[in-house]
Structures are given as C-alpha cells and as structure tokens.
Amino acid sequence: MPINIGISACDREKIAHGLSGLLADSYTLYLMTHNFHWNVTGPQFNGLHQMFMTQYTEQWNALDMIAERIRALGHPAPGTYKAFIQLASIAEVEGVPKSNDMVRHLVTAHEATARTARKMFPLVDAADDQPTADLLTQRIEVHEKTAWMLRSLLE
C-alpha cells in the first residue's frame, strides 16, 4: 500500500537514510559501552561498571525507536554489522583500553552520535517531519548529557 503521511517519498528516503546512520552510530555506541562494561578494571570498577550498564541499557532501548521510525517512513532498517560499519561515523575501539581511556572513547562516541542526529534537522524541518524531529531532539539531549557526565569523570 502506498504511504501518504504528508512527507514525500523522496524526503522519506533521505530521512530514512539519515536515521540509518544514527542507528549505526547508536548501535556502535551501544556495543562499545557494553564491551567496556564487561571489561572495565581498576579503582573505579564499581562505579563505571554500573554507569556503563545504565548507559548501554538506555542505548539498547533507543535502537528500537530509531529503527521503528525508519520502518514507519517505509524503509527497511539496517540490521547487520556490515551495514553498521558502512554507515557509522564511530570507529570501533581495538583491544581493552584503561578505564579513563574507555571514558574518553565514550565521550567522543556520544558527541559523534549527537552530531549525526543534529545534522538531520534541516531536512527534517523542511519535510515538516515532527515525529523524527522529536526523536532527534530526545537522542541529542541524552548524548550531550551523557558526554557531559563522562567528561566530568576525567576532571
């Protein structure tokens, strides 16, 4: 059945592509955070282990919201590591960094994810796509706040 939600097919395709990049960044960040949760060591172990669990749980739940918005726009959501590697702006972290380096990597990844979401606003605003704008606003708020909290650990 054709989709008639007041957003052109061309705009829906562009927005879905942008959201696919956000999904890839979000999944890469989720996996990085979960990896760090499993592998953190040192004097900050308890605090970081718990913090990372809270963060990856929030990130996991966000993946569904982003993927479902892509689907609502009539496009398939990417769902493979190959697709995520091609779409993500975040590089994977090699090995197991020290705890403070984990925090630095996460700050960088949260900021990158916020930038990925933010760069979509001109297209979303022009298409009058309020649900996607709302989703982007929510995600940016989470990533900026989390980056701030993580940066605070390094001071």
Side-chain angles (χ1 to χ4, degrees), residues 94-147:
E94 296 289 325
V96 179
K98 299 289 185 192
S99 61
N100 278 350
D101 290 331
M102 289 178 175
V103 173
R104 284 184 189 87
H105 284 296
L106 289 172
V107 168
T108 301
H110 276 282
E111 290 175 346
T113 306
R115 288 191 306 272
T116 296
R118 182 170 274 110
K119 74 181 180 185
M120 291 185 60
F121 272 107
L123 173 60
V124 170
D125 288 344
D128 203 25
D129 182 359
Q130 293 89 0
T132 300
D134 183 51
L135 174 64
L136 295 172
T137 300
Q138 290 175 42
R139 298 313 310 149
I140 291 168
E141 182 178 9
V142 167
H143 294 298
E144 288 180 353
K145 183 176 181 179
T146 303

Side-chain angles (χ1 to χ4, degrees), residues 24-101:
D25 277 358
S26 298
Y27 194 90
T28 303
L29 176 56
Y30 158 77
L31 190 58
M32 180 188 300
T33 308
H34 211 149
N35 174 30
F36 292 169
H37 165 79
W38 289 329
N39 291 300
V40 68
T41 59
Q44 299 181 71
F45 171 80
N46 281 331
L48 290 177
H49 186 72
Q50 288 300 318
M51 177 188 286
F52 294 163
M53 182 170 65
T54 300
Q55 291 173 3
Y56 78 67
T57 300
E58 190 284 330
Q59 198 65 29
W60 178 257
N61 292 327
L63 297 173
D64 240 20
M65 293 187 312
I66 299 165
E68 288 174 358
R69 184 63 192 152
I70 295 167
R71 295 297 298 134
L73 292 168
H75 292 271
T80 65
Y81 288 112
K82 182 178 180 180
F84 289 151
I85 288 168
Q86 291 172 345
L87 291 165
S89 71
I90 300 169
E92 291 185 321
V93 175
E94 296 289 325
V96 179
K98 299 289 185 192
S99 61
N100 278 350
D101 290 331

